Amino acid sequence: MTAPQIVWLRRDLRLSDQPALCAAASQGPVIAVYVLDDDRAGDRALGGASRWWLHHSLDAMASRLAQHRSRLILRRGDAVEELCALVEETGAEAVHAIRHYEHWWVKAQDALCERVTLNLYDGNYLLPPGTVTTGSGDPYKIYTPFAKAATRQLPQRDPLDVPSLTLPDAWPDSDDLSDWNLLPTKPDWAEGFRSEWAVGENAGQDQLDEFSERVASYETDRNLPSVDGSSRLSPHLHWGEISPTQVWKALEGRSGEGLHSFRGELLWRDYTQNIICQFPEYPESGYRDQFAHFPWRDPDSDDEAAADLKAWQEGRTGYPIVDAGMRQLWHIGWMHNRVRMIAASFLIKHLLIRWTHGERWYWDTLVDADYANNGVNWQWIAGTGVDSNMFPRIMAPLSQSPKFDAAEYIREWVPELSHLGDDTIHDPGEDCRPDGYPEKRIAHKVARQRALDAYGEMKDRAG
Ligand code: FAD
């Protein structure tokens, strides 16, 4: 009997271009396993939207494996202990896994390789994180030089085919996915998710095929929330249902500004992971020390700030573009990138609430909630990050909304405003604001001045 090989799956739920699976399959029968380790990430446990996606992604992965007469084994508990137990139980020779870079997974990988043979592979990024370095061998901190250097190294390789899988002599026991209660019950907030998303590797490939037909218009359309202009691949990429190498390669026959700028966005994903490699807990606190002196309004101790935070979360700020974005997020677990920026900036600069509160809300509500992408982007907007916008650059939601033609988007997500014309919908004045739609939490000019004053106060305090 040939000893089986265990493939430890995490956010890499695909059969194609899966280096850990290919290596395992070349060495013996494969047992693919997913361990639900709720405690491992501490207060970075999966948010509600992520759990919803994970349920469907595991279901899809099990079906994919079944098409190859194989199975997905599910275990729940401490990942290191469960995998060691599984190695013991099955007589497996080794565990194979795609390397993950979040600090809790790095610790798990380190602990596991002390106890079993663990083979780690890169495969979830265009280039292995940490390998794009300056002439003197240091990792990049700033996006633009990082992207230039990375582009010179791409494309690195062709995507790997699905390997042929041999089956083990016996299958270990598996949990039942439905017993994990990853889906919401009461209240069932996921109706919009179900109608919006097709989950899993096949769905990710379909989405990529569909997007490759419209990549030419990406440059012009991606900033328009009313248009389906971006790829919507983010949850598929986050969960590893599709690899960035597959995405890069699939678009190779295309050319033009759309492709160029799309590849630039894919490289942002590599870049944020590169930041996490250098600063593993980057999403937890500000990179720039002076912001420790910023006079934030704290929702934990200030009732008015708490009410502002709640209004922002519920999409009831009185700023239609912000409210549309926050409601889109709640209903489908995703928000258009331009609106993610506007809404994030609004929380930080109009409401003066520290970015960490918003980052946590996105973490809980996004289906693509990603430790690196979320943390780095929030700090970019806040001006607290390693490479970031200057704090005094305050986005003006009332001008951004017409500039990016958001009228239809607002009509879709803020139905109480849907009867308003393009001239009033971005900023409904007292005479046309319908009953039930809130007044602005704070006027733009007042908020802007307050934010600039707070910034000045921070600089004085920081000395
Ligand atoms: P496209 O425009 O089609 O881009 C293609 C892919 O490139 C995306 O799927 C994504 O993987 C990557 N990408 C695009 N923009 C960025 C970016 N700015 N940073 C890193 N990668 C990028 N993206 C996440 O995947 N997870 C998050 O948790 C997340 N949080 C964010 C928080 C804030 C405050 C902001 C401003 C942005 C955040 N983003 C996050 C980045 C971006 O908004 C989403 O990746 C994008 O909207 C997803 O839609 P798409 O797949 O259609 O993107």
Side-chain angles (χ1 to χ4, degrees):
M1 169 190 123
T2 319
Q5 308 287 327
I6 288 177
V7 176
W8 176 25
L9 297 167
R10 284 172 287 176
R11 290 191 296 97
D12 34 37
L13 298 169
R14 61 182 183 273
L15 295 189
S16 55
D17 201 34
Q18 222 298 8
L21 181 70
C22 289
S26 70
Q27 290 166 46
V30 167
I31 299 174
V33 57
Y34 184 93
V35 184
L36 182 67
D37 187 348
D38 274 330
D39 298 332
R40 163 103 10 218
D43 69 353
R44 283 291 168 174
L46 294 175
S50 293
R51 289 169 82 82
W52 179 89
W53 193 283
L54 175 64
H55 175 99
H56 294 289
S57 197
L58 290 174
D59 199 26
M61 187 67 179
S63 305
R64 286 282 283 151
L65 284 161
Q67 285 162 2
H68 294 259
R69 298 179 303 114
S70 191
R71 291 187 194 175
L72 176 61
I73 301 301
L74 300 176
R75 294 283 170 105
R76 184 174 200 160
D78 181 293
V80 175
E81 297 305 326
E82 288 298 325
L83 287 161
C84 289
L86 207 56
V87 167
E88 175 94 17
E89 208 177 307
T90 58
E93 189 180 18
V95 176
H96 304 258
I98 288 190
R99 189 179 275 108
H100 287 269
Y101 292 87
E102 289 91 349
H103 56 84
W104 56 92
W105 286 133
V106 172
K107 279 192 201 122
Q109 287 159 188
D110 290 349
L112 188 60
C113 74
E114 297 281 311
R115 298 182 43 192
V116 299
T117 304
L118 173 65
N119 298 323
L120 293 171
Y121 311 82
D122 276 290
N124 270 10
Y125 294 91
L126 291 166
L127 295 164
T131 63
V132 181
T133 52
T134 62
S136 49
D138 296 322
Y140 285 98
K141 292 194 172 61
I142 306 295
Y143 169 76
T144 304
F146 169 87
K148 277 191 185 148
T151 304
R152 283 196 292 275
Q153 296 178 36
L154 289 168
Q156 277 218 317
R157 59 176 183 85
D158 287 325
L160 304 165
D161 291 333
V162 179
S164 66
L165 301 177
T166 13
L167 309 184
D169 291 340
W171 286 104
D173 290 343
S174 170
D175 285 3
D176 197 336
L177 181 58
S178 56
D179 291 341
W180 283 3
N181 299 323
L182 295 171
L183 300 177
T185 44
K186 283 185 190 154
D188 173 11
W189 41 257
E191 194 189 329
F193 288 46
R194 287 189 289 274
S195 39
E196 184 69 26
W197 299 106
V199 181
E201 183 174 8
N202 292 338
Q205 289 290 347
D206 290 347
Q207 185 65 23
L208 173 59
D209 291 346
E210 187 269 323
F211 173 66
S212 52
E213 296 304 319
R214 54 184 173 87
V215 67
S217 52
Y218 178 79
E219 173 60 9
T220 43
D221 289 354
R222 74 194 177 105
N223 267 315
L224 307 176
S226 302
V227 172
D228 202 8
S230 69
S231 70
R232 298 219 177 192
L233 283 170
S234 54
H236 300 292
L237 281 162
H238 170 76
W239 291 100
E241 296 171 353
I242 193 163
S243 78
T245 300
Q246 290 175 307
V247 177
W248 189 278
K249 281 279 173 177
L251 299 173
E252 237 169 22
R254 317 272 162 171
S255 58
E257 270 308 297
L259 178 70
H260 180 72
S261 89
F262 178 72
R263 285 185 165 169
E265 296 307 317
L266 266 189
L267 281 165
W268 267 99
R269 187 176 171 275
D270 268 49
Y271 165 76
T272 64
Q273 202 57 51
N274 170 71
I275 292 296
I276 293 300
C277 288
Q278 295 175 66
F279 311 105
E281 302 207 15
Y282 187 88
E284 309 303 342
S285 60
Y287 175 80
R288 289 173 197 266
D289 292 343
Q290 57 175 349
F291 277 88
H293 303 282
F294 195 93
W296 300 114
R297 297 170 64 236
D298 182 1
D300 296 329
S301 57
D302 169 347
D303 288 349
E304 242 181 63
D308 280 348
L309 176 61
K310 192 160 184 284
W312 177 81
Q313 291 169 338
E314 291 176 351
R316 300 193 53 75
T317 66
Y319 283 77
I321 180 102
V322 174
D323 295 340
M326 297 308 293
R327 294 188 200 184
Q328 180 183 36
L329 174 61
W330 183 254
H331 283 285
I332 66 168
W334 184 91
M335 199 199 306
H336 187 276
N337 178 58
R338 169 70 32 195
V339 193
R340 285 189 206 202
M341 292 197 274
I342 297 170
S345 172
F346 186 86
L347 181 77
I348 300 163
K349 297 176 188 178
H350 283 68
L351 301 181
L352 281 195
I353 292 178
R354 195 169 183 245
W355 62 272
T356 45
H357 292 277
E359 192 272 344
R360 288 289 174 158
W361 183 253
Y362 277 20
W363 177 262
D364 192 33
T365 51
L366 281 169
V367 285
D368 62 26
D370 183 277
Y371 194 60
N373 282 354
N374 204 29
V376 171
N377 276 287
W378 270 94
Q379 291 217 56
W380 191 86
I381 300 285
T384 57
V386 54
D387 177 0
S388 61
N389 216 342
M390 299 295 290
F391 183 92
R393 286 188 60 189
I394 297 169
M395 286 178 123
L398 301 176
S399 359
Q400 292 266 315
S401 188
K403 180 174 175 194
F404 294 106
D405 215 358
E408 276 310 316
Y409 179 74
I410 295 171
R411 284 188 191 104
E412 179 175 3
W413 294 109
V414 190
E416 64 268 37
L417 300 180
S418 61
H419 62 287
L420 296 180
D422 286 7
D423 50 339
T424 47
I425 195 164
H426 305 287
D427 182 13
E430 274 313 304
D431 49 335
C432 60
R433 184 166 55 80
D435 284 350
Y437 186 70
E439 267 181 63
K440 291 188 182 70
R441 299 297 295 181
I442 181 168
H444 173 68
K445 272 193 181 161
V446 177
R448 186 180 147 73
Q449 195 51 52
R450 182 173 72 170
L452 293 175
D453 291 347
Y455 183 69
E457 193 180 324
M458 171 196 81
K459 284 178 63 177
D460 290 345
R461 284 190 197 169

